[in-house]
Amino acid sequence: MKQKLVFISNIASPYQVKLCYALEEYFDAEFWFYEHLDANRPDWWKIPLGDKCKILKYSKRFPKLSYLSLGLIPELVRFKPDIILLGGFMPMHALITKVAKRLGIKTVVMSEPLRPLQNDDDPSDRLMNRIDNPRKTQLLHWMFKDADLFFGMGTVAVDQFKRELQFNPDKVVHATYAQDIDAYFDHGLRHKKQGDTFKLLFANRLVERYQPLLVLEAYRNLSKRYNLELYLNHSGQQLEACKSYIAEHHLENVHFLDEIRAWDEMPIVYEQADILILPATYSNGNGTIIEARASGMGVVISNQINNVSHHSVDGENCYMCDVTVESIEAGIEQYLAHPERLIEHGKLSRELVKFHRNDVTAKGYYDTLREKQIIS
């Protein structure tokens, strides 16, 4: 009989919903979410949850406390899980960790690196540490020290959990994000030649830490020498600033992705684009980069992004840039002046991100839990 695993997290991200069903090969798995979507996600993120995923009843998000749910305990009584996988270091999850220990249920906490942010769009790249945040790090250690395992999403998170939160190093392991990328591998490689129109994609939200205004300035400069189109996300705090920049400088062939109606339409957006651009001041290894690589696109990203070294080799399957207009422009122009590199880079990228498929991620979680004796 398969052991029972439940994953509890904030919103029903489509790739997490799909990971649930990939995990069914190894567990009797259910995924529970506090809400279907938050204010930062478009309505088309909602996908059918099926019979294994659900939104917890009587859930609410509170300032500083994050999510609480009165419907959680009844679900735990019903499902009787052997393992609880918790998405994030929130107070509700600390309580679950304490209760689970008394009941003999194994708990695993999964998280990105922790940052002392003012809000979700805070552009800061500072990480929480014991020197600047002594009380918070001590509190988090006490709240979660009873967890049986910690999934650090990337090497930066793994190092932080060991060094700054001082969790037992034997309990901290690296884990990969869920990624819904199977459809992207069916896209054709980009066969372009000089003089063709190149389509640039900025797929991330229009917020300061992703630097969409710098991308628009680079596009403005390059458009004077090349035939270009630019496709931009349609959400984020800098949407109006981007629209103003486009109008002020009379930019042509700039389109917002405002006609997407369903999650499964996203692969089409990538299939029709040639080069992804993400000059972030901070990211923990953005999912759009994985999607672009699986699609076979050219990629121009900043050197400030964590957790990408295993699939990003500057000059071989992407161009890494500084967070400046000049550097972004130079990276994009490498593809425009040498379009044959799109095929070279696309082939290598696909090989390097194959292990990000959800079926591989599910097996990786299973193997790790067995290795760490969380399951038998």
Side-chain angles (χ1 to χ4, degrees):
M1 181 179 294
K2 295 178 182 178
Q3 291 187 279
K4 293 183 176 182
L5 178 147
V6 62
F7 173 63
I8 307 171
S9 191
N10 56 347
I11 63 173
S13 301
Y15 36 83
Q16 290 177 340
V17 172
K18 295 194 177 186
L19 176 62
C20 176
Y21 294 95
L23 282 167
E24 290 297 324
E25 182 174 348
Y26 308 99
F27 301 96
D28 179 1
E30 291 192 8
F31 277 33
W32 305 341
F33 306 99
Y34 295 109
E35 59 180 332
H36 211 140
L37 293 179
D38 61 17
N40 291 324
R41 306 299 177 187
D43 288 342
W44 53 262
W45 259 50
K46 287 187 177 181
I47 67 170
L49 299 181
D51 61 344
K52 294 294 185 176
C53 299
K54 64 178 57 184
I55 309 302
L56 291 167
K57 295 180 179 178
Y58 315 116
S59 298
K60 187 174 181 180
R61 186 175 185 178
F62 295 89
K64 296 185 179 180
L65 289 177
S66 194
Y67 292 92
L68 295 177
S69 174
L70 297 178
L72 180 57
I73 298 301
E75 288 294 344
L76 288 174
V77 172
R78 172 193 64 82
F79 189 53
K80 297 180 177 62
D82 301 294
I83 311 106
I84 302 176
L85 181 57
L86 299 165
F89 290 101
M90 62 182 74
M92 185 76 180
H93 292 174
L95 176 62
I96 294 170
T97 300
K98 303 294 184 185
V99 172
K101 184 176 182 181
R102 290 181 174 273
L103 298 176
I105 302 171
K106 300 290 187 180
T107 54
V108 182
V109 183
M110 170 190 293
S111 178
E112 295 184 340
L114 299 177
R115 297 184 292 144
L117 303 180
Q118 299 300 315
N119 55 61
D120 290 341
D121 294 329
D122 192 323
S124 172
D125 62 353
R126 291 188 303 115
L127 297 178
M128 184 180 294
N129 62 77
R130 293 171 60 206
I131 296 176
D132 296 333
N133 315 98
R135 292 183 180 179
K136 187 66 176 289
T137 51
Q138 289 172 10
L139 178 62
L140 285 170
H141 175 86
W142 177 81
M143 290 170 66
F144 289 95
K145 63 184 176 65
D146 292 329
D148 296 284
L149 196 65
F150 300 92
F151 275 3
M153 310 311 287
T155 56
V156 174
V158 168
D159 182 67
Q160 183 190 48
F161 297 171
K162 293 178 181 179
R163 185 191 308 273
E164 308 300 341
L165 301 185
Q166 295 193 306
F167 293 132
N168 183 340
D170 292 335
K171 291 184 176 182
V172 181
V173 297
H174 177 276
T176 57
Y177 288 102
Q179 294 282 170
D180 181 25
I181 57 173
D182 286 2
Y184 293 80
F185 287 92
D186 295 331
H187 298 170
L189 295 172
R190 280 42 171 199
H191 293 265
K192 310 290 286 190
K193 60 182 183 295
Q194 290 188 18
D196 287 349
T197 297
F198 290 76
K199 296 181 179 181
L200 313 182
L201 174 64
F202 186 94
N204 294 84
R205 288 184 303 125
L206 304 174
V207 298
E208 185 178 350
R209 68 186 170 108
Y210 295 147
Q211 297 295 310
L213 292 173
L214 292 189
V215 172
L216 282 170
E217 189 170 347
Y219 175 82
R220 176 191 174 199
N221 296 336
L222 289 168
S223 294
K224 298 171 184 177
R225 306 191 300 276
Y226 299 95
N227 297 322
L228 301 177
E229 293 183 17
L230 175 62
Y231 292 81
L232 295 168
N233 196 309
H234 193 246
S235 64
Q237 293 177 340
Q238 292 194 322
L239 174 60
E240 294 307 317
C242 289
K243 289 181 176 180
S244 296
Y245 187 97
I246 293 166
E248 178 184 352
H249 296 284
H250 308 288
L251 297 186
E252 296 181 352
N253 300 317
V254 179
H255 315 279
F256 288 97
L257 299 169
D258 55 1
E259 296 184 356
I260 299 173
R261 297 292 178 262
W263 172 259
D264 288 338
E265 293 179 10
M266 277 301 295
I268 300 172
V269 171
Y270 285 77
E271 186 176 22
Q272 295 175 348
D274 302 309
I275 304 167
L276 178 86
I277 313 169
L278 179 57
T281 58
Y282 176 86
S283 174
N284 194 49
N286 207 281
T288 61
I289 301 172
I290 304 295
E291 291 162 353
R293 296 210 181 288
S295 179
M297 293 173 61
V299 174
V300 177
I301 55 177
S302 81
N303 50 22
Q304 305 299 309
I305 300 175
N306 297 333
N307 200 31
V308 296
S309 61
H310 58 288
H311 59 60
S312 299
V313 185
D314 187 26
E316 294 188 22
N317 73 330
C318 66
Y319 292 104
M320 311 287 283
C321 62
D322 298 323
V323 187
T324 66
V325 172
E326 294 78 14
S327 187
I328 297 166
E329 188 176 330
I332 298 170
E333 192 163 21
Q334 288 284 351
Y335 289 119
L336 305 182
H338 308 281
E340 70 280 357
R341 293 177 185 173
L342 287 170
I343 296 175
E344 299 167 7
H345 288 198
K347 287 180 179 178
L348 178 57
S349 285
R350 282 183 168 164
E351 288 299 316
L352 293 178
V353 298
K354 280 182 178 179
F355 76 94
H356 279 284
R357 292 175 184 264
N358 263 339
D359 58 342
V360 181
T361 298
K363 185 177 188 306
Y365 285 13
Y366 174 74
D367 290 343
T368 298
L369 294 175
R370 288 195 63 183
E371 180 183 343
K372 290 297 181 177
Q373 299 182 334
I374 304 300
I375 60 175
S376 56

